[in-house]
Amino acid sequence: MLSTRTCALTSLCLFIAMSIPSFGSTARLADQSLAVELDTARGALTSLASAPISASGGRFAAYDFRSKQSIPLAAGKVSASRDKISARYQGGQLQCDATYLVSKGSLYVQGTLKDLSGKDRAVMLSYTIPVRGKNLRFSPSLNTTIPIGAKVSGQGTVYPIAAICGDGFGLAMAIPPTAPCMFRMVGSTEGLTLRMYLGLSPDTKRLPSSARFSFIVYTCDPKWGFRDALRRYYATFPQYYEHHSKGDGLWLFEATDPPNLSDFAFDEISVGPKIKDIIQRDDRAGILSFPYMIVGQREIKRLGSLPRSYEQAMEEYGKWSPVGGRVTKESIAAGGDAFLKDEVETSAIKEQDGKYLLSIRNTDWGGDSVTFTMNPNPALPGEHTTGGDAMTLIHEWLAAYPNADGIYIDSLGSNWCARLNFRHDHFPYAKYPLTFDSKGNVALHNALSHYEFIEPLRAELHKRGKLLMANGVYCYSVKEPEYADVKDTGRFFLAALCDVAGAESSTPDQARWEFYKTAMGRKPYLILKYHWEKPDNVQEVFNQALCYGVFVTNSNGLGKVYWTDPNGYARDKSLYEWYVPLVRKLSKAGWQPVTYASSPTKDVRFERYGGKGDIYFTVYNNAATEQECVLKIEAKPLGLTNDTKVEQISGPGFISAEKSASTYTVRTKLASKRTAMIHLQ
């Protein structure tokens, strides 16, 4: 609540919600766990808990991306009401209205940036909290810590969460999962900065020439940096990161009664003549069934030859008819392609030159094809839009197949979702902020258009007691900026909407393993692995997956049927029998981002699952040779006592567990690229 800086009430306001009249130039907001102060003359954040904020205070600034000009935003009107502070900042024909309030231990900043020129504007809106202190370091991901110096700064564009820490303090900023936008997190000698890449256009109908934004500021444990910031983020938005509690297991795809059917929990199915039989089979086996939908593309398939240019592709499109086409799961998801041309007209995205953004390609399912990238926003106008038609079809499926457990959305990764859409006639229907390209041209990012489709679908499914499963939820890098100046990105905001997510991947790198856990929290993440011809690689990936609590399975691919190939499941049967029960234990226990552990051993990765009384640690040896791996576990925060039992449940190799006054030291011998699973209870 709001009060002034008065000595008699300073302590009281930390614990009692109340309203005090304002005196002087400092206004105060507080709840039972956080107090903040703002300079009302400058609209600057001057105090947040014990963070050593510099005298200049937290502040907004803008940068015009097209003209390459910095735009100072000066505070005009600042007002305080019962439980919030409102401020208006102006400069460079921009107006930024922001509201500050404290809730659940965080400072919430919500606002709108508006252009006053009446033109399209590409604006980077920044909020910086300057801090002073010793040993400053920037923490933008699970295992990345960057010391900050005069010539050293850190940046992160995959996660909308970051922390800056120093001796005795930790400070975090984050964008809520309900307020997606394009962003960059920065840590430097200037402090902790959030940059939001906002495209402003008079064509946006909800907020003409404007964009809404929202972020939170809160404290974190400096010892754990990003990991503790992430823990608090999950606690602030639990409905987006809790396990659905309906099952744990592997991803079933185009497999008829595999020999290890009981290992599976999630079945991606196509709507067709056998769907009811498949759902009944799944129900008997305790597997959840998800009919297939794709909304990021529509394509014309089985052409006579592969077009060599855009003009030839459009010529083929002009001659194309859905009559007599081969049935694929993609065409089923497009309603038999009956209204494909209508959907292209209303929903296909366009490039800056006005041409459709399309791919000319040859695929196993479509042969020589032309694929249009689609905006699936269901609010687009027209009798037949991709988002609208998909929603109608999904409702029909849910009515026709009531035992289906949810819907599967394909291809949220680095293809259709990763595109910019310059169609100004789509701008009026955007719910979330526009962004811009590397030259400052305003556009819709198709990942946010997918968010606009998936958000209401998720709400509808949850109302029916059903789940949302999606593919392509990962991070990636590109050679040229995908938007503005950003080359590294991911599907963090879309992951928040998913109950189950996955990727088709052969050998994920370290960044992706970390993304799977960070983006999904305790929710299941699945991998379909098509390349299984090398047994050593299969062993390595399954062991990595165990370390990160990810459900991986080999699947049909390379023209071979994995389940019947002598070098397929028959070879790997014992691996599944070892791996599946263990990874299920981890998923049920729940991943915890703060490990309360460390290791002096080089090339070791480890994670924690579960809490007090029932704890699991995974330890992965990433070294090229066998080595003794040491894990030092803090006893007090995990409730470990002299009576705690420690055992390695993943197989041989356990050496010892030694208890000191504050630490359990666990030693195990691990072969290269292998994981040990330690249970403490």
Side-chain angles (χ1 to χ4, degrees):
M1 305 300 290
L2 180 66
S3 73
T4 59
R5 181 188 291 171
T6 57
C7 295
L9 292 177
T10 295
S11 178
L12 183 62
C13 286
L14 287 170
F15 303 100
I16 300 177
M18 59 187 301
S19 180
I20 304 293
S22 179
F23 303 100
S25 63
T26 298
R28 197 168 197 269
L29 297 166
D31 68 3
Q32 292 186 347
S33 55
L34 179 69
V36 304
E37 294 181 349
L38 276 85
D39 182 327
T40 56
R42 298 181 294 129
L45 177 68
T46 55
S47 175
L48 189 145
S50 60
I53 297 177
S54 301
S56 58
R59 60 195 183 277
F60 283 101
Y63 179 80
D64 189 300
F65 206 84
R66 177 173 286 181
S67 66
K68 310 301 181 186
Q69 290 184 340
S70 296
I71 304 172
L73 295 176
K77 182 181 179 181
V78 179
S79 60
S81 63
R82 174 178 170 79
D83 58 357
K84 64 184 179 182
I85 299 170
S86 299
R88 172 167 289 179
Y89 309 86
Q90 291 180 304
Q93 290 191 296
L94 292 172
Q95 177 177 296
C96 179
D97 291 301
T99 299
Y100 303 83
L101 58 91
V102 169
S103 177
K104 299 179 181 179
S106 295
L107 172 64
Y108 286 73
V109 184
Q110 300 168 336
T112 302
L113 180 67
K114 184 175 184 178
D115 166 63
L116 304 178
S117 73
K119 302 176 182 179
D120 281 2
R121 296 280 297 274
V123 179
M124 184 174 70
L125 179 66
S126 299
Y127 191 81
T128 298
I129 302 179
V131 295
R132 60 187 185 277
K134 296 181 179 180
N135 298 317
L136 292 180
R137 52 201 182 273
F138 178 62
S139 184
S141 63
L142 287 181
N143 297 309
T144 302
T145 301
I146 303 170
I148 295 173
K151 296 183 179 180
V152 180
S153 62
Q155 303 190 34
T157 54
V158 173
Y159 306 113
I161 307 165
I164 191 167
C165 304
D167 290 354
F169 83 94
L171 188 65
M173 274 204 289
I175 303 172
T178 53
C181 68
M182 302 297 107
F183 66 90
R184 180 185 294 273
M185 313 298 296
V186 180
S188 68
T189 53
E190 294 185 1
L192 182 60
T193 299
L194 165 63
R195 296 175 182 169
M196 294 169 284
Y197 298 92
L198 305 177
L200 307 177
S201 173
D203 292 331
T204 51
K205 183 167 63 176
R206 290 174 181 266
L207 289 171
S209 297
S210 304
R212 288 196 180 101
F213 61 85
S214 178
F215 59 91
I216 59 175
V217 186
Y218 53 100
T219 60
C220 63
D221 188 332
K223 181 175 181 178
W224 300 106
F226 180 89
R227 285 181 176 264
D228 193 56
L230 185 63
R231 177 191 67 82
R232 289 205 55 192
Y233 187 87
Y234 291 162
T236 303
F237 307 104
Q239 65 272 37
Y240 293 96
Y241 297 101
E242 290 298 321
H243 193 297
H244 56 74
S245 301
K246 290 191 175 185
D248 288 291
L250 309 180
W251 179 354
L252 189 61
F253 173 63
E254 293 189 350
T256 303
D257 296 329
N260 61 332
L261 187 63
S262 62
D263 289 344
F264 292 85
F266 309 100
D267 191 2
E268 170 198 343
I269 61 177
S270 295
V271 174
K274 297 182 179 180
I275 185 172
K276 290 186 177 180
D277 293 337
I278 294 172
I279 292 174
Q280 289 177 0
R281 185 277 310 269
D282 287 347
D283 287 346
R284 290 192 300 268
I287 297 172
L288 304 176
S289 305
F290 296 83
Y292 175 97
M293 171 58 69
I294 186 169
V295 293
Q297 56 98 321
R298 293 291 180 257
E299 62 186 0
I300 56 173
K301 311 173 187 68
R302 300 294 167 183
L303 305 177
S305 60
L306 195 66
R308 297 182 179 181
S309 65
Y310 177 88
E311 289 71 24
Q312 286 187 9
M314 292 305 298
E315 183 179 347
E316 289 289 340
Y317 171 71
K319 296 184 295 185
W320 177 86
S321 167
V323 178
R326 176 183 172 184
V327 175
T328 67
K329 66 182 189 298
E330 292 81 11
S331 64
I332 293 171
D337 292 332
F339 302 108
L340 184 146
K341 286 192 172 182
D342 300 84
E343 289 187 23
V344 168
E345 182 177 345
T346 61
S347 308
I349 75 176
K350 291 184 178 180
E351 301 189 78
Q352 177 66 16
D353 60 6
K355 293 181 178 179
Y356 287 118
L357 180 56
L358 52 80
S359 298
I360 301 170
R361 59 182 188 158
N362 182 280
T363 65
D364 292 339
W365 62 88
D368 293 338
S369 306
V370 174
T371 310
F372 293 85
T373 307
M374 311 300 282
N375 174 356
N377 182 353
L380 291 180
E383 183 178 359
H384 293 288
T385 67
T386 296
D389 285 356
M391 284 291 190
T392 298
L393 198 55
I394 286 170
H395 289 150
E396 292 175 1
W397 292 348
L398 294 175
Y401 315 113
N403 286 349
D405 298 285
I407 294 294
Y408 171 98
I409 304 296
D410 197 13
S411 294
L412 301 185
S414 59
N415 203 341
W416 323 120
C417 258
R419 305 298 186 244
L420 294 181
N421 180 8
F422 297 91
R423 279 187 71 162
H424 272 248
D425 60 324
H426 285 185
F427 289 7
Y429 308 98
K431 180 179 179 181
Y432 295 103
L434 280 61
T435 188
F436 47 88
D437 66 9
S438 60
K439 296 180 180 179
N441 297 305
V442 173
L444 293 163
H445 196 295
N446 214 30
L448 296 193
S449 298
H450 275 71
Y451 191 103
E452 290 167 338
F453 175 83
I454 293 173
E455 184 181 35
L457 175 59
R458 173 183 185 266
E460 172 81 9
L461 291 173
H462 284 192
K463 188 182 298 184
R464 296 170 179 254
K466 299 183 185 295
L467 305 176
L468 178 76
M469 179 179 174
N471 178 30
V473 180
Y474 51 75
C475 63
Y476 59 93
S477 299
V478 292
K479 293 181 179 180
E480 299 297 328
E482 183 171 297
Y483 62 91
D485 54 3
V486 173
K487 298 181 181 180
D488 301 306
T489 187
R491 296 293 173 259
F492 184 89
F493 291 120
L494 290 177
L497 300 179
C498 299
D499 299 298
V500 186
E504 298 159 290
S505 183
S506 294
T507 308
D509 60 17
Q510 176 66 13
R512 285 202 175 180
W513 289 117
E514 292 184 13
F515 181 87
Y516 301 156
K517 297 315 300 177
T518 303
M520 290 297 286
R522 301 181 67 167
K523 299 181 294 186
Y525 195 92
L526 323 175
I527 289 178
L528 277 182
K529 181 174 170 57
Y530 296 126
H531 293 271
W532 38 264
E533 61 274 16
K534 297 179 180 179
D536 289 346
N537 174 260
V538 171
Q539 287 276 353
E540 178 181 339
V541 172
F542 273 59
N543 274 267
Q544 288 177 312
L546 180 62
C547 181
Y548 289 97
V550 171
F551 291 91
V552 62
T553 183
N554 296 324
S555 189
N556 298 339
L558 305 174
K560 297 181 179 180
V561 179
Y562 173 75
W563 308 105
T564 57
D565 192 289
N567 292 315
Y569 178 73
R571 179 197 66 198
D572 300 329
K573 182 174 182 292
S574 61
L575 177 61
Y576 280 88
E577 291 173 343
W578 169 79
Y579 159 78
V580 173
L582 294 176
V583 73
R584 277 179 163 159
K585 287 181 183 292
L586 296 179
S587 188
K588 286 181 171 63
W591 179 66
Q592 304 294 333
V594 179
T595 61
Y596 295 113
S598 61
S599 177
T601 311
K602 292 183 178 180
D603 295 320
V604 163
R605 304 170 187 168
F606 56 90
E607 296 295 336
R608 175 172 69 93
Y609 301 81
K612 293 181 179 179
D614 196 20
I615 301 167
Y616 298 92
F617 278 92
T618 55
V619 183
Y620 177 74
N621 177 18
N622 195 42
T625 59
E626 180 183 80
Q627 65 174 336
E628 179 180 303
C629 301
V630 179
L631 191 65
K632 293 183 176 295
I633 305 168
E634 297 178 19
K636 185 176 180 179
L638 295 178
L640 305 181
T641 69
N642 291 331
D643 297 326
T644 298
K645 297 180 180 179
V646 183
E647 62 176 334
Q648 182 166 315
I649 63 174
S650 55
F654 184 74
I655 297 174
S656 65
E658 304 163 2
K659 173 70 168 66
S660 68
S662 61
T663 306
Y664 263 91
T665 301
V666 177
R667 302 176 186 276
T668 185
K669 183 170 286 188
L670 273 174
S672 172
K673 314 302 180 183
R674 294 296 182 267
T675 293
M677 187 164 153
I678 310 296
H679 188 203
L680 298 91
Q681 63 177 344

